């Protein structure tokens, strides 16, 4: 049995479904509109709602991009999709085997394994080998195979279609307000707390270093006002993303100083909601001037966080 057959077999759905398909990286406002419409139609038709999401980005597997940073981890993506009310979330590895299927072959699998009766798609969505399955073709296949098709209007902001590409661009410009507007929530990073180089304590500013996946999209290097979520509780915080040029630079790290907090958090899972950039990362001439700057940054972060919406 191939990997794809195994994945479909273990995801088997018996109750007929209204289904949507995509990568859903970021689960941005456009994705949310589509997922909400899928849930709404399932309720109206008395069917179960389902979403198929891909592990591994099609554009990477098909060699169109060499690197494509993810806005959300798989875990965040699944939690966000479920929080919208989608009953079944099916993960499929986007492999060459999957990429080689025609729209007809892929929708056959959706009908036979996931009992698809209606497919909900967004603007310009295509499915199957060489992106051959556009809305007209999917409608025609559906008429023969027993599913109907709904095409959802694009969600737009300022006449631009909301897309993960737009969000990645705003991240590289450190425009976290724009990212927030496009996602419909604050951008957040989640990971395990790992050990740093132990300099933070010496500076009098202890930091929790986050373990970050190599393919995680990050805002541009800099200092950000953030909120840290630990064991269900939010704490005001400040986060430095960067290479610490004052100490000779190194591997990019994401380190957070949580205000009024002095508990050991090594190995805990920490989520950081990134609210606003305070300044870019700078190479200081002395550790003292870095320390003075950080003390000022902390005051600014407190002011920003007192007024922030998320
Ligand atoms: C709020 C904040 C701002 C920071 N800004 C800078 C900076 O502009 N330049 C820099 O070289 N390091 C900066 N750092 C990183 C410190 O150099 C770092 O916390 C220290 O080296 C400890 O690193 P460690 O956790 O790897 O031991 C900042 C850290 C924090 C918490
Ligand atoms: N702005 C939007 N409004 C409504 N639906 C959208 C929007 N953006 C994407 N979708 C739909 O969400 C589904 C999942 O899309 P998917 O994540 O696979 O790729 P996409 O369209 O390239 O999205 P993005 O460019 O944001 O990564 C598709 O049906 C897609 O058409």
């Amino acid at each position: 049995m191939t990997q794809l057959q195994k994945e479909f077999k273990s995801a088997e759905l018996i109750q007929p479904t209204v289904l949507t398909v995509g990568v859903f990286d970021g689960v941005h406002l456009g994705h949310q509109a589509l997922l909400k419409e899928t849930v709404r139609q399932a309720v109206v038709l008395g069917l179960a709602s389902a979403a198929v999401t891909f592990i591994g980005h099609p554009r990477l597997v098909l060699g169109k991009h060499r690197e494509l940073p993810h806005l959300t981890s798989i875990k965040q993506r699944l939690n966000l999709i479920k929080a919208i009310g989608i009953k079944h979330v099916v993960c499929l590895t986007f492999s060459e085997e999957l990429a080689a299927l025609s729209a007809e072959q892929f929708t056959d699998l959706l009908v036979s394994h996931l009992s698809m009766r209606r497919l909900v798609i967004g603007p310009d969505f295509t499915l199957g080998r060489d992106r051959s399955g556009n809305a007209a073709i999917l409608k025609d296949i559906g008429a023969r195979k027993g599913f109907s098709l709904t095409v959802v209007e694009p969600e737009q902001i300022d006449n631009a279609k909301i897309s993960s590409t737009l969000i990645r661009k705003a991240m590289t410009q450190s425009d976290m307000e724009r990212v927030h507007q496009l996602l419909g929530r604050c951008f957040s990073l989640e990971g395990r707390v790992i050990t740093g180089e132990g300099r933070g304590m010496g500076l009098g500013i202890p930091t929790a270093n986050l373990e970050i996946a190599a393919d995680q999209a990050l805002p541009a290097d800099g200092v950000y006002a953030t909120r840290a979520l630990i064991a269900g509780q939010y704490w005001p915080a400040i986060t430095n993303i960067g290479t610490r040029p004052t100490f000779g630079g190194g591997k990019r790290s994401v380190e957070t100083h949580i205000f009024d907090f002095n508990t050991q958090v090594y190995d805990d899972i920490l989520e950081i909601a990134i609210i606003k950039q305070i300044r870019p990362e700078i190479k200081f001439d002395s550790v003292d001037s870095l320390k003075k700057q950080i003390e000022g940054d902390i005051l600014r972060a407190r002011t920003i966080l007192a007024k922030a919406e998320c």
Side-chain angles (χ1 to χ4, degrees), residues 1-10 92-93 95-98 101 109 113:
M1 208 189 282
T2 66
Q3 159 108 354
L4 184 64
Q5 287 165 334
K6 273 191 212 145
E7 288 179 348
F8 265 119
K9 197 117 207 93
S10 66
L92 296 180
T93 307
S95 57
E96 283 179 15
E97 179 194 2
L98 196 147
L101 297 178
L109 292 170
H113 292 282

Side-chain angles (χ1 to χ4, degrees), residues 24 26-40 49 77-87 89 183 185:
F24 300 112
V27 195
H28 56 59
L29 282 178
H31 296 144
Q32 290 170 35
L34 184 84
L35 292 160
K36 281 182 189 159
E37 180 59 16
T38 305
V39 172
R40 194 190 67 80
S49 56
R77 222 197 295 167
L78 295 188
N79 285 340
L80 288 163
I81 294 175
K82 282 191 184 143
I84 288 170
I86 295 282
K87 189 165 177 205
V89 187
L183 285 178
R185 64 174 190 282

Side-chain angles (χ1 to χ4, degrees), residues 154-212:
E155 274 297 298
Q156 300 194 334
I157 284 187
D158 310 331
N159 287 327
K161 187 190 136 191
I162 297 173
S163 71
S164 53
T165 308
L166 214 55
I167 298 171
R168 283 191 199 97
K169 190 166 160 230
M171 297 252 292
T172 61
Q173 296 167 339
S174 314
D175 189 352
M176 302 315 289
E177 286 97 335
R178 178 75 170 158
V179 172
H180 180 172
Q181 185 191 32
L182 299 168
L183 285 178
R185 64 174 190 282
C186 274
F187 174 79
S188 69
L189 294 167
E190 191 190 42
R192 203 168 53 88
V193 178
I194 52 171
T195 50
E197 277 157 39
R199 265 187 309 247
M201 274 293 192
L203 281 175
I205 305 156
T207 56
N209 291 55
L210 216 57
E211 184 174 47
I212 293 292

Side-chain angles (χ1 to χ4, degrees), residues 197-200 207 209 244-247 255 279 282 284 290:
E197 277 157 39
R199 265 187 309 247
T207 56
N209 291 55
R244 290 145 297 159
T246 307
F247 297 92
E255 50 173 326
R279 64 169 173 89
I282 302 165
F284 287 90
L290 166 65

